[in-house]
Amino acid sequence: MTTTAAHEAMGTEAYGAQDDAAQAAYERAFDAAVAADERIEPRDWMPDAYRATLVRQIAQHAHSEIIGMQPEANWITRAPSLRRKAILMAKVQDEAGHGLYLYSAAETLGVSRDELLDKLHTGRQKYSSIFNYPTLTWADVGAIGWLVDGAAITNQVPLCRCSYGPYARAMVRVCKEESFHQRQGYELLLTLSKGTPEQHAMAQDAVDRWWWPSLMMFGPPDDESAHSAQSMTWKIKRHSNDELRQRFVDICVPQAESLGLTLPDPELRWNEERGHYDFGPIDWAEFKNVLKGNGPCNEQRITQRRRAHEEGAWVREAAAAHAAKHTGKSAGTPTGSRGVEQA
Amino acid sequence: MTTTVPATAALALGDDALVLSHRLGEWMGHAPVLEEEVALANIALDLLGQARVLLSMAGDEDELAYLREERAFTNLQLVEQPNGDFAHTIARQLYFSTYQHLLHTELAGGDGPFAPLAAKAVKETAYHRDHAEQWTLRLGDGTEESHTRMQRACTALWRFTGEMFQPVEGLDGVDWERLRGSWQTSVEEVLDRATLSVPEGPQSGAWTAGAGRQGLHTESFGRMLAEMQHLHRSHPGASW
């Protein structure tokens, strides 16, 4: 990290100062560091609202990874070949790992994983609306890889340059694995598309169902996005929702063509003047309804998450009790008992 | 004969790994902590990797996994047992990973057709065994509830442990009685440290020990296969 004088002025000793003038100086230093594209680190001074925004965004990102395991894990026991089963298991495992990185990144901001999970379980924090849609056929696993992971990557690659260091670094690792998953999803769909007529139909049906919900992953249109302007000033966000959505559409159209599949939008066509694809209107009423908890799987997803947590309580209590009894003499654990002992 | 003899053994060992991997896969999204989502998936993936190598030694992996019926599977009954609670899964892991680690160590030391696979698998199973041991200790010597659950699980699965030491055709040179002795010593030592008692019942049910190896399974296994195979069977001849 390059350190300017402005950045140094944000040192931890200064944190907590009450004096208005000093406060203003920290804010100026913070703004200057962000403007200079420097990374803000956990011990640096930061505005309370910046901290709160990051906690919300990183936590909801972590929750999305955890809830996002469910629609795909739904097909692990039914994967149609051992190769696909191994790929899918590895993918769901990666998602649990991404959740772990992200909760760790959020913890650098002074919250605990347990606190955040509790907010997820009680509906006080959200996760991506996309995971409230059901996986009805095997092809959905491919459509999620291609479209959902594709949309996630489009959103997340700019986050690798996010102003908050721990989040940016987590994103670098997450994005590498996500692009791998996305290619696997594409390849799964390609195999189906070129397979039997039944397989082709299965692939088309999945793309038809996942296309619009994937476009909704970029969030509300720019003129209705509550947090956008501030997040862009803070360089938490680098591009607007609509910009990213457009970028995603432009990437997907030729990919759909090479897959031999169509996208369910009669208004989708190349606009020579704009140099982009035009596309039809998104059903924002549906989006809002899913966010409110009325999507096809909201109830099921949160119930399963809560149940796993509640049914696992005795296991976490046992690990904590064991650790307390054997402090200092307990053998090293292969699973990393950090989270367990916090419980 | 040399081609058919390893096939029996490859199927037996491959089916064990395939079926246990499948059971562990059922945990995904349901584990008590995130670290266990990762750990159980990791073990499931190792086992699936072993299964694919072993089944490929015997034929086409997908044909063998997806198109055989229940009576043709030769896995141990232990690995097909439903997950139950976390203690039940851990007890099953303890019994099986201890067995698998000892067996692979022995196979890796020989010059038979399974030596290369076993040399890789022995590293994986050492991790699986360590994972199961650590959790047996935590649950056995944790809270009163976890102790009760772990004891119940160890006892419930005990009657499936005898079948592991039935000689497998094609695994020449394995001293099954010595394997049983090492297994017993090791498991007893872990249970003792975990403040659990060694179950006293018989190590086989009313079936002859080794029934799984002869294609005689428990009732839940058919349902597991139905779920595992239905999509593959619904599209005969398709590629995935």
Side-chain angles (χ1 to χ4, degrees):
Chain A
M1 182 180 76
T2 53
T3 309
T4 63
H7 201 166
E8 267 170 17
M10 312 188 314
T12 43
E13 281 172 36
Y15 185 72
Q18 301 300 312
D19 181 80
D20 283 354
Q23 187 75 12
Y26 303 137
E27 279 191 36
R28 277 197 305 277
F30 172 86
D31 291 344
V34 169
D37 265 337
E38 285 175 24
R39 290 283 162 81
I40 306 301
E41 296 299 336
R43 294 165 69 87
D44 292 337
W45 184 91
M46 62 187 84
D48 290 345
Y50 176 84
R51 187 184 299 273
T53 295
L54 276 168
V55 167
R56 192 193 66 244
Q57 183 172 337
I58 301 174
Q60 297 190 2
H61 194 160
H63 299 333
S64 301
E65 297 283 355
I66 301 313
I67 297 286
M69 294 168 71
Q70 291 184 31
E72 294 178 286
N74 183 37
W75 280 92
I76 285 177
T77 55
R78 294 175 289 170
S81 75
L82 297 186
R83 174 172 163 265
R84 292 291 179 197
K85 187 172 184 164
I87 290 172
L88 185 56
M89 272 188 183
K91 181 180 179 190
V92 178
Q93 185 193 25
D94 282 348
E95 281 156 8
H98 295 171
L100 283 170
Y101 305 157
L102 286 160
Y103 285 121
S104 299
E107 285 182 336
T108 65
L109 292 159
V111 289
S112 73
R113 193 210 299 187
D114 286 341
E115 199 179 326
L116 299 177
L117 280 174
D118 189 56
K119 286 189 173 156
L120 169 66
H121 297 154
T122 54
R124 284 175 294 155
Q125 282 182 342
K126 297 193 183 306
Y127 53 88
S128 178
S129 61
I130 193 80
F131 301 120
N132 292 314
Y133 290 85
T135 46
L136 302 178
T137 71
W138 170 250
D140 290 34
V141 171
I144 289 182
W146 176 45
L147 294 173
V148 175
D149 292 338
I153 293 162
T154 309
N155 263 328
Q156 290 169 12
V157 164
L159 288 173
C160 297
R161 295 185 298 124
C162 156
S163 59
Y164 189 59
Y167 192 27
R169 288 188 288 274
M171 280 303 102
V172 172
R173 298 179 65 181
V174 169
C175 283
K176 276 184 196 157
E177 290 175 352
E178 294 287 7
S179 2
F180 187 59
H181 299 157
Q182 201 239 357
R183 283 200 297 276
Q184 286 169 334
Y186 180 89
E187 193 256 333
L188 190 163
L189 281 183
L190 187 65
T191 306
L192 294 180
S193 179
K194 293 186 166 174
T196 65
E198 291 78 12
Q199 285 176 307
H200 181 92
M202 192 193 280
Q204 184 61 61
D205 168 62
V207 168
D208 289 348
R209 284 182 288 110
W210 288 91
W211 173 248
W212 290 108
S214 300
L215 293 191
M216 296 177 195
M217 286 175 70
F218 296 92
D222 291 349
D223 49 11
E224 288 172 36
S225 177
H227 307 293
S228 271
Q230 183 63 78
S231 288
M232 286 179 71
T233 313
W234 279 332
K235 295 191 182 169
I236 294 172
K237 244 179 126 147
R238 297 275 179 165
H239 310 279
S240 78
N241 295 351
D242 287 332
E243 269 169 43
L244 291 170
R245 189 169 9 247
Q246 180 70 60
R247 185 179 297 179
F248 178 68
V249 171
D250 290 348
I251 291 170
C252 285
V253 174
Q255 288 182 349
E257 278 165 17
S258 50
L259 278 170
L261 298 171
T262 58
L263 295 171
D265 180 358
E267 293 178 42
L268 191 65
R269 63 179 57 85
W270 179 250
N271 181 327
E272 192 66 51
E273 206 172 304
R274 291 202 309 125
H276 291 291
Y277 284 93
D278 289 338
F279 55 97
I282 290 172
D283 182 353
W284 293 114
E286 175 180 319
F287 177 70
K288 283 175 191 154
N289 220 351
V290 175
L291 277 190
K292 264 194 289 182
N294 302 322
C297 298
N298 299 56
E299 187 56 35
Q300 173 188 334
R301 298 288 186 244
I302 207 70
T303 299
Q304 179 177 327
R305 179 85 270 288
R306 257 192 237 130
R307 193 190 300 134
H309 190 74
E310 282 160 15
E311 288 179 357
W314 69 272
V315 176
R316 297 190 300 275
E317 283 157 18
H322 180 82
K325 283 187 216 177
H326 298 267
T327 312
K329 54 178 176 166
S330 182
T333 73
T335 49
S337 59
R338 191 171 150 267
V340 172
E341 282 159 6
Q342 280 173 346
Chain B
M1 272 312 274
T2 46
T3 51
T4 56
V5 170
T8 306
L11 277 182
L13 301 185
D15 288 349
D16 285 350
L18 177 72
V19 171
L20 185 55
S21 168
H22 185 95
R23 284 298 190 203
L24 292 174
E26 293 173 353
W27 267 104
M28 301 194 76
H30 299 271
V33 279
L34 276 178
E35 282 80 356
E36 283 307 297
E37 297 282 2
V38 177
L40 295 174
N42 201 7
I43 296 169
L45 273 167
D46 286 344
L47 290 168
L48 185 53
Q50 294 168 14
R52 295 182 65 192
V53 173
L54 286 158
L55 294 183
S56 299
M57 289 170 85
D60 178 88
E61 60 176 32
D62 285 338
E63 252 179 68
L64 288 168
Y66 291 99
L67 299 175
R68 273 183 301 159
E69 291 185 7
E70 190 179 340
R71 290 283 282 108
F73 275 82
T74 56
N75 55 281
L76 298 166
Q77 290 183 350
L78 174 66
V79 296
E80 77 202 28
Q81 294 311 303
N83 289 333
D85 66 4
F86 191 69
H88 204 79
T89 290
I90 291 299
R92 191 182 62 197
Q93 285 302 109
L94 177 72
Y95 292 162
F96 183 72
S97 64
T98 304
Y99 160 79
Q100 211 192 12
H101 186 244
L102 291 167
L103 180 60
H104 283 310
T105 304
E106 186 143 341
L107 294 174
D111 55 3
F114 298 105
L117 166 100
K120 181 166 182 285
V122 78
K123 292 180 198 136
E124 295 167 348
T125 51
Y127 162 73
H128 305 170
R129 185 177 171 171
D130 194 23
H131 174 265
E133 283 185 17
Q134 293 301 329
W135 273 111
T136 303
L137 295 177
R138 288 195 194 105
L139 299 181
D141 189 16
T143 62
E144 203 180 315
E145 182 184 8
S146 70
H147 178 89
T148 306
R149 284 180 185 253
M150 194 63 209
Q151 186 65 61
R152 193 162 56 206
C154 288
T155 304
L157 291 168
W158 188 248
R159 67 195 175 90
F160 298 106
T161 56
E163 62 179 352
M164 295 190 283
F165 310 104
Q166 284 287 299
V168 174
E169 185 191 334
L171 294 185
D172 306 323
V174 173
D175 183 340
W176 296 94
E177 274 315 301
R178 195 169 50 124
L179 194 69
R180 179 199 286 273
S182 310
W183 182 89
Q184 190 91 15
T185 308
S186 170
V187 166
E188 284 183 8
E189 187 266 336
V190 176
L191 294 182
D192 182 58
R193 273 197 292 142
T195 71
L196 296 162
S197 48
V198 178
E200 285 170 359
Q203 284 178 271
S204 63
W207 291 112
T208 325
R213 293 279 185 245
Q214 292 142 42
L216 297 169
H217 294 280
T218 51
E219 285 183 348
S220 65
F221 184 57
R223 201 165 284 108
M224 190 204 102
L225 281 189
E227 182 171 342
M228 182 172 108
Q229 296 181 337
H230 98 271
L231 178 59
H232 187 98
R233 284 181 180 272
S234 302
H235 297 263
S239 311
W240 300 94

